[in-house]
């Protein structure tokens, strides 16, 4: 995944609504495999979808957010993404 695609994925992540307000059925309309799995993971609150994500930074971001574990943020290579992850995961 190139930087432009990663930024698109992360923008989608930042705009993802809280789990209680999300509709996982809409995730199936997403064509990008990584984005679809991220959407399913966060809307269903199921880490198993994160493991299907191919891009490692996005996978770690997903695991951090769904599991609410900041330790995954430290595995993210992109400094901006790492800092965003640390800001969003408590």
């Amino acid at each position: 995944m190139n930087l432009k695609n990663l930024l698109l994925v992360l923008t989608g992540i930042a705009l993802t609504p809280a789990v209680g307000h999300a509709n996982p059925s809409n995730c199936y309309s997403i064509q990008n495999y990584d984005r679809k799995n991220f959407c399913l993971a966060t809307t269903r609150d199921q880490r198993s979808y994160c493991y299907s994500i191919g891009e490692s930074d996005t996978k770690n971001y997903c695991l951090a957010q769904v599991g609410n574990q900041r330790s995954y943020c430290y595995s993210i290579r992109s400094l901006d993404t790492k800092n965003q992850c640390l800001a969003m995961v408590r």
Side-chain angles (χ1 to χ4, degrees):
M1 178 178 289
N2 64 33
L3 182 59
K4 182 178 177 183
N5 287 340
L6 179 60
L7 290 174
L8 288 173
V9 169
L10 294 176
T11 300
I13 292 168
L15 298 175
T16 301
V19 173
H21 298 87
N23 184 355
S25 64
N26 292 329
C27 299
Y28 293 104
S29 298
I30 298 172
Q31 298 300 310
N32 178 286
Y33 186 75
D34 285 352
R35 290 179 67 188
K36 180 185 294 184
N37 281 302
F38 187 92
C39 180
L40 289 167
T42 55
T43 57
R44 293 182 180 268
D45 199 29
Q46 293 181 4
R47 293 166 39 113
S48 59
Y49 289 105
C50 297
Y51 293 110
S52 297
I53 296 172
E55 203 284 315
S56 64
D57 280 358
T58 306
K59 180 184 296 184
N60 283 312
Y61 196 112
C62 181
L63 289 166
Q65 189 167 359
V66 173
N68 199 31
Q69 295 180 332
R70 292 170 55 98
S71 60
Y72 286 104
C73 297
Y74 295 106
S75 298
I76 297 173
R77 293 175 306 221
S78 165
L79 187 57
D80 285 345
T81 306
K82 180 184 297 185
N83 285 322
Q84 181 180 4
C85 181
L86 290 168
M88 302 220 18
V89 177
R90 304 253 182 255

